Protein backbone atom coordinates (compact mmCIF):
# COMPACT_ATOMS: atom_id res chain seq x y z
CA UNK A 1 0.00 0.00 0.00
CA UNK A 2 1.15 3.54 -0.71
CA UNK A 3 2.23 5.68 2.21
CA UNK A 4 2.87 9.33 2.99
CA UNK A 5 5.10 11.14 5.45
CA UNK A 6 3.51 12.43 8.66
CA UNK A 7 5.18 14.88 11.02
CA UNK A 8 3.48 16.20 14.15
CA UNK A 9 5.35 19.02 15.85
CA UNK A 10 4.65 21.14 18.94
CA UNK A 11 6.70 24.01 20.33
CA UNK A 12 8.26 21.56 22.81
CA UNK A 13 8.99 18.48 20.68
CA UNK A 14 8.60 16.43 17.58
CA UNK A 15 5.73 14.14 18.54
CA UNK A 16 5.65 11.91 15.48
CA UNK A 17 7.67 11.43 12.29
CA UNK A 18 7.15 8.38 10.09
CA UNK A 19 5.50 7.06 6.94
CA UNK A 20 1.80 6.23 7.44
CA UNK A 21 -1.18 4.86 5.50
CA UNK A 22 -3.86 7.33 6.66
CA UNK A 23 -4.35 10.31 8.97
CA UNK A 24 -7.72 11.43 10.31
CA UNK A 25 -7.65 14.82 12.03
CA UNK A 26 -10.24 17.15 13.62
CA UNK A 27 -10.63 20.03 11.19
CA UNK A 28 -12.63 23.08 12.20
CA UNK A 29 -15.48 21.99 9.92
CA UNK A 30 -15.31 18.26 10.70
CA UNK A 31 -13.08 15.22 10.47
CA UNK A 32 -10.51 15.20 7.66
CA UNK A 33 -9.31 11.89 6.24
CA UNK A 34 -5.98 12.15 4.43
CA UNK A 35 -4.72 9.33 2.21
CA UNK A 36 -1.48 9.17 0.22
CA UNK A 37 -1.32 11.59 -2.73
CA UNK A 38 -4.06 13.82 -1.29
CA UNK A 39 -4.56 17.18 -2.95
CA UNK A 40 -2.72 20.11 -1.33
CA UNK A 41 -4.55 21.46 1.71
CA UNK A 42 -4.03 23.90 4.57
CA UNK A 43 -6.49 23.99 7.45
CA UNK A 44 -6.88 24.84 11.11
CA UNK A 45 -7.44 22.02 13.59
CA UNK A 46 -9.74 22.07 16.58
CA UNK A 47 -9.23 20.11 19.79
CA UNK A 48 -9.85 16.44 19.14
CA UNK A 49 -8.45 13.06 18.27
CA UNK A 50 -5.91 12.25 15.57
CA UNK A 51 -6.04 8.74 14.14
CA UNK A 52 -2.82 7.50 12.55
CA UNK A 53 -2.86 4.16 10.73
CA UNK A 54 0.50 2.57 9.90
CA UNK A 55 0.73 -0.95 8.47
CA UNK A 56 -2.94 -1.45 9.33
CA UNK A 57 -2.46 -0.64 13.04
CA UNK A 58 -4.37 2.36 14.42
CA UNK A 59 -2.88 4.73 16.98
CA UNK A 60 -4.50 7.74 18.61
CA UNK A 61 -3.29 11.12 19.83
CA UNK A 62 -5.03 14.04 21.52
CA UNK A 63 -4.48 17.42 19.89
CA UNK A 64 -5.54 20.75 21.38
CA UNK A 65 -5.62 22.60 18.06
CA UNK A 66 -3.18 23.89 15.50
CA UNK A 67 -2.71 23.68 11.74
CA UNK A 68 -2.37 20.92 9.17
CA UNK A 69 -0.69 21.19 5.79
CA UNK A 70 -0.88 18.50 3.12
CA UNK A 71 1.55 18.89 0.24
CA UNK A 72 3.66 16.61 -1.96
CA UNK A 73 2.59 13.40 -0.17
CA UNK A 74 3.57 14.89 3.20
CA UNK A 75 1.29 15.82 6.11
CA UNK A 76 2.64 18.33 8.60
CA UNK A 77 0.72 19.11 11.76
CA UNK A 78 1.82 22.07 13.85
CA UNK A 79 -0.05 21.53 17.10
CA UNK A 80 -0.49 23.64 20.19
CA UNK A 81 -0.21 20.43 22.21
CA UNK A 82 -0.33 16.79 21.18
CA UNK A 83 -0.20 13.72 23.42
CA UNK A 84 -0.25 9.97 23.01
CA UNK A 85 -3.08 8.21 24.80
CA UNK A 86 -0.67 6.69 27.33
CA UNK A 87 0.74 10.13 28.21
CA UNK A 88 -2.61 11.42 29.48
CA UNK A 89 -3.17 11.21 33.22
CA UNK A 90 -6.89 10.53 33.59
CA UNK A 91 -7.12 11.96 37.11
CA UNK A 92 -5.41 15.21 36.10
CA UNK A 93 -7.64 15.52 33.03
CA UNK A 94 -10.73 14.98 35.21
CA UNK A 95 -9.53 17.63 37.67
CA UNK A 96 -8.90 20.07 34.79
CA UNK A 97 -12.41 19.48 33.51
CA UNK A 98 -13.90 20.12 36.94
CA UNK A 99 -11.86 23.34 37.30
CA UNK A 100 -13.07 24.51 33.88
CA UNK A 101 -16.69 23.75 34.79
CA UNK A 102 -16.30 25.75 38.01
CA UNK A 103 -14.79 28.68 36.07
CA UNK A 104 -17.77 28.58 33.68
CA UNK A 105 -20.22 28.70 36.57
CA UNK A 106 -18.35 31.63 38.15
CA UNK A 107 -17.29 33.45 34.99
CA UNK A 108 -17.03 37.20 35.03
CA UNK A 109 -16.23 38.62 31.61
CA UNK A 110 -16.86 37.23 28.15
CA UNK A 111 -13.11 36.68 27.75
CA UNK A 112 -13.01 34.61 30.95
CA UNK A 113 -15.97 32.57 29.75
CA UNK A 114 -14.34 31.94 26.36
CA UNK A 115 -11.11 30.81 28.04
CA UNK A 116 -13.01 28.54 30.43
CA UNK A 117 -14.98 26.98 27.56
CA UNK A 118 -11.74 26.38 25.65
CA UNK A 119 -10.20 24.75 28.73
CA UNK A 120 -13.29 22.59 29.15
CA UNK A 121 -13.13 21.41 25.52
CA UNK A 122 -9.43 20.46 25.85
CA UNK A 123 -10.09 18.56 29.08
CA UNK A 124 -13.09 16.74 27.56
CA UNK A 125 -11.04 15.67 24.55
CA UNK A 126 -8.24 14.34 26.75
CA UNK A 127 -10.68 12.45 28.98
CA UNK A 128 -12.63 10.98 26.07
CA UNK A 129 -9.50 9.77 24.36
CA UNK A 130 -7.90 8.22 27.41
CA UNK A 131 -11.13 6.45 28.36
CA UNK A 132 -11.86 5.12 24.85
CA UNK A 133 -8.37 4.47 23.60
CA UNK A 134 -6.28 2.47 25.97
CA UNK A 135 -2.71 1.96 24.69
CA UNK A 136 -2.37 -0.87 22.18
CA UNK A 137 1.27 -0.31 21.40
CA UNK A 138 3.87 2.37 21.68
CA UNK A 139 4.08 4.24 18.38
CA UNK A 140 6.71 6.57 19.81
CA UNK A 141 9.36 4.26 18.41
CA UNK A 142 8.71 6.09 15.12
CA UNK A 143 10.26 9.29 16.47
CA UNK A 144 13.76 10.19 15.42
CA UNK A 145 16.05 10.10 18.42
CA UNK A 146 18.85 12.05 16.82
CA UNK A 147 19.15 15.79 17.50
CA UNK A 148 17.67 17.89 14.75
CA UNK A 149 15.25 15.28 13.48
Amino acid sequence: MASMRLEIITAEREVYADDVDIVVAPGVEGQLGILPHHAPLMTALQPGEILVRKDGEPSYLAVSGGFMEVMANRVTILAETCEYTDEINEERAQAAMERAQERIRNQGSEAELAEALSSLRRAQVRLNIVRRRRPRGDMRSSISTQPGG
Side-chain angles (χ1 to χ4, degrees):
M1 180 175 190
S3 64
M4 62 192 159
R5 187 70 178 175
L6 170 64
E7 294 179 349
I8 303 174
I9 303 161
T10 68
E12 292 81 31
R13 65 185 177 140
E14 179 178 61
V15 178
Y16 191 86
D18 204 352
D19 294 333
V20 300
D21 305 325
I22 187 171
V23 176
V24 179
V28 292
E29 294 186 21
Q31 293 292 95
L32 295 163
I34 308 297
L35 293 167
H37 307 292
H38 193 283
L41 168 75
M42 175 70 117
T43 189
L45 298 178
Q46 67 179 344
E49 178 178 87
I50 295 175
L51 162 67
V52 176
R53 190 174 308 253
K54 178 177 172 55
D55 299 328
E57 288 296 315
S59 298
Y60 303 89
L61 299 103
V63 67
S64 64
F67 296 92
M68 179 171 68
E69 176 188 59
V70 180
M71 186 174 287
N73 213 35
R74 174 182 295 273
V75 178
T76 304
I77 296 176
L78 303 176
E80 294 170 21
T81 64
C82 188
E83 302 171 275
Y84 293 91
T85 304
D86 63 349
E87 293 176 328
I88 299 171
N89 179 305
E90 186 172 351
E91 292 78 26
R92 285 182 49 207
Q94 179 67 43
M97 189 167 83
E98 290 167 5
R99 283 191 309 272
Q101 290 169 332
E102 182 65 26
R103 287 174 47 210
I104 290 168
R105 283 191 292 274
N106 299 320
Q107 58 84 23
S109 68
E110 286 187 37
E112 290 170 342
L113 177 60
E115 178 58 35
L117 289 170
S118 179
S119 296
L120 179 63
R121 175 71 179 133
R122 286 190 306 269
Q124 286 173 326
V125 164
R126 294 175 78 236
L127 269 177
N128 289 344
I129 289 172
V130 77
R131 289 178 177 165
R132 284 193 341 241
R133 312 286 188 204
R134 300 296 174 187
R136 294 183 183 174
D138 190 357
M139 69 186 222
R140 283 180 278 176
S141 61
S142 299
I143 298 173
S144 172
T145 57
Q146 297 176 352

